[in-house]
Amino acid sequence: MVHDGLEGIAGEEIVQTLGGMVKRSGAGIVVFRLEDIDRSILQLRTTEDVFLFAWGTDELSYRAKDLDSIERWTARSAPWDVLLKIHHAVTPKPRGKTTYRLVAQMTGVHGYRRIDALQAVARGLAGKLPASWKYADENASVEVWLTIHGAMAICGLRLSDRTMRHRSYKHEHLPASIRPTVAAAIARMADLKPNQSVLDPMCGAGTLLAEAYLSTRGKRTTGGVDWPMHFLGGDLDKSHVRAAQVNLRQFHIEDLRVWDARDLPLEDASIDRIVCNPPFGKQLATPEAVVPLYRESVREMQRVLRPGGKAVLIVADAKALRSAVERVGWKEQRHAQIRMLGQRALIALFRKEPRSQA
Ligand SMILES: C[S@@+](CC[C@H](N)C(=O)[O-])C[C@H]1O[C@@H](n2cnc3c(N)ncnc32)[C@H](O)[C@@H]1O
């Protein structure tokens, strides 16, 4: 499961890092096949959760008879014993009694309630889980999830826990912080290479820099050394820079300063990659302030970016961003329209002309 709109980028990560094969994707779900399933699946960074596929359909009728189908598919279409074996290999059982939990989420208007669908799964599972397992609403060791989205339903055994989406590096939180999985998608889109300088001019608590760093960790140059990189960032707000310092110290990212992104204390053409999550309109004193802020900060990004350098930005106001970018002549190479915290946002990758002047 991914944030709506990140299916393509998550699919790329699955193919490139796990060697998986994507079977289908859409509506916040990527279904993929792996030859061998082991703990490496938990290292995915753009996914919110990972499940073992039990069964799925695109053909719900929206009528109450779906409940019989859900029960039947749960009872007959999934090899629960095989799935449980893989589950235990990936997430070792905790000591003590095993507990389990059923979860259902449903969007769309159906002739039955979410709880009815959940009970249909429970009936289908009868006799499939060991009788000694106890039901637990909190911290269950085994979770079976049913997700219904319009005519689509998918049922699976959860492999990940909350640490997949909430990273352990985040000691300091800001209300406007970006979700780590979205930051990881931005880091992937930035297409980092060894020896690059990577800037976040409005770094807040530092999530984008953390994910950019983590996307390069463990990578080696052809000479066998870790990728030498320079990560740097800053923010107008001193307390945000302090939050970033706390979060990024463990990654040895120390070049963090209080500055105004509209007037950066950086050399012309000195930066290879920019990742940035400027404030959304509702976070500013007046929503109209977005237009001049984007215009002036994009102009400054253009100045510090090397010719051929790339910038990935996430904004709510796509029009304000595209108008700012038009003025500096960047080429849009790719974008993803996502939903984050109930709000639509655009992630866009731009490239500065290779022979451009600052
Ligand atoms: C949406 S938040 C960034 C959140 C960040 N990506 C994180 O994960 O915590 C936007 C940030 O831009 C900063 N900001 C606003 N105007 C700025 C400016 N002119 N120069 C630098 N930073 C600015 C705000 O203080 C805020 O921390």
Side-chain angles (χ1 to χ4, degrees):
M1 281 187 194
V2 299
H3 270 287
D4 242 343
L6 288 189
E7 298 88 352
I9 296 162
E12 283 170 20
E13 184 186 17
I14 287 161
V15 171
Q16 288 164 8
T17 66
L18 298 179
M21 186 194 286
V22 174
K23 307 297 281 184
R24 52 167 303 164
S25 66
I29 290 176
V30 181
V31 180
F32 62 99
R33 180 180 284 278
L34 282 184
E35 281 303 318
D36 294 305
I37 302 173
D38 57 31
R39 283 188 68 76
S40 63
I41 201 168
L42 300 179
Q43 273 147 32
L44 289 172
R45 305 202 66 82
T46 59
T47 51
E48 294 280 301
D49 262 307
V50 183
F51 298 82
L52 286 169
F53 180 94
W55 59 261
T57 181
D58 280 321
E59 295 181 347
L60 289 181
S61 69
Y62 295 83
R63 291 199 285 274
K65 67 174 187 187
D66 288 343
L67 298 174
D68 293 333
S69 310
I70 291 171
E71 178 179 340
R72 198 176 56 250
W73 289 322
T74 306
R76 303 204 202 134
S77 301
W80 291 105
D81 49 343
V82 178
L83 297 179
L84 288 169
K85 211 179 266 174
I86 301 172
H87 178 278
H88 297 332
V90 173
T91 57
K93 271 197 285 183
R95 288 216 190 103
K97 279 235 174 303
T98 303
T99 52
Y100 74 99
R101 179 166 95 110
L102 309 183
V103 176
Q105 25 186 25
M106 185 158 110
T107 58
V109 181
H110 298 77
Y112 42 90
R113 298 166 305 164
R114 190 173 59 88
I115 181 79
D116 301 323
L118 189 71
Q119 282 164 359
V121 172
R123 287 194 298 277
L125 271 178
K128 308 284 181 196
L129 307 180
S132 61
W133 289 11
K134 292 265 170 297
Y135 193 84
D137 270 325
E138 297 269 330
N139 298 324
S141 30
V142 175
E143 293 185 8
V144 177
W145 285 43
L146 170 69
T147 299
I148 295 180
H149 186 74
M152 188 272 302
I154 190 160
C155 180
L157 206 49
R158 191 181 186 204
L159 290 177
S160 49
D161 61 20
R162 58 187 296 285
T163 58
M164 174 166 264
R165 54 178 101 177
H166 303 282
R167 315 287 208 245
S168 49
Y169 63 75
K170 284 203 90 169
H171 302 296
E172 295 289 329
H173 296 272
L174 297 178
S177 271
I178 192 170
R179 299 288 289 262
T181 55
V182 177
I186 291 173
R188 285 194 74 77
M189 279 171 79
D191 179 31
L192 305 185
K193 303 270 191 299
N195 286 307
Q196 287 186 330
S197 49
V198 184
L199 163 73
D200 183 349
M202 305 193 204
C203 71
T207 321
L208 278 168
L209 288 172
E211 292 299 326
Y213 165 82
L214 289 166
S215 75
T216 65
R217 194 166 65 176
K219 295 208 169 150
R220 304 263 187 278
T221 62
T222 39
V225 291
D226 288 344
W227 280 18
M229 305 292 288
H230 179 204
F231 295 95
L232 70 162
D235 200 286
L236 198 55
D237 187 321
K238 210 157 115 188
S239 67
H240 294 189
V241 175
R242 218 171 293 126
Q245 283 165 340
V246 171
N247 288 336
L248 298 174
R249 195 174 301 138
Q250 60 202 298
F251 306 136
H252 309 288
I253 299 174
E254 277 149 16
D255 194 350
L256 300 165
R257 312 179 218 174
V258 178
W259 65 29
D260 188 334
R262 294 166 294 188
D263 183 18
L264 294 168
L266 301 173
E267 299 279 313
D268 292 358
S270 57
I271 299 293
D272 298 290
R273 295 290 186 264
I274 293 174
V275 285
C276 188
N277 167 209
F280 286 16
K282 63 177 187 183
Q283 294 157 3
L284 294 168
T286 61
E288 303 77 50
V290 156
V291 172
L293 175 64
Y294 286 11
R295 193 183 301 151
E296 290 162 40
S297 48
V298 165
R299 194 195 53 218
E300 192 63 348
M301 290 180 203
Q302 156 78 357
R303 182 183 69 75
V304 299
L305 209 50
R306 269 192 237 288
K310 294 180 184 179
V312 189
L313 287 95
I314 177 166
V315 296
D317 190 339
K319 208 163 133 221
L321 176 66
R322 289 204 169 109
S323 127
V325 161
E326 214 167 86
R327 289 167 169 255
V328 298
W330 289 351
K331 294 274 171 299
E332 185 169 325
Q333 294 201 308
R334 182 176 188 189
H335 72 258
Q337 192 79 56
I338 70 158
R339 286 196 81 80
M340 188 173 65
L341 306 173
Q343 199 178 359
R344 285 167 71 84
L346 174 80
I347 305 176
L349 162 68
F350 301 99
R351 182 161 189 237
K352 179 172 171 173
E353 279 292 314
R355 278 177 294 280
S356 158
Q357 297 297 309

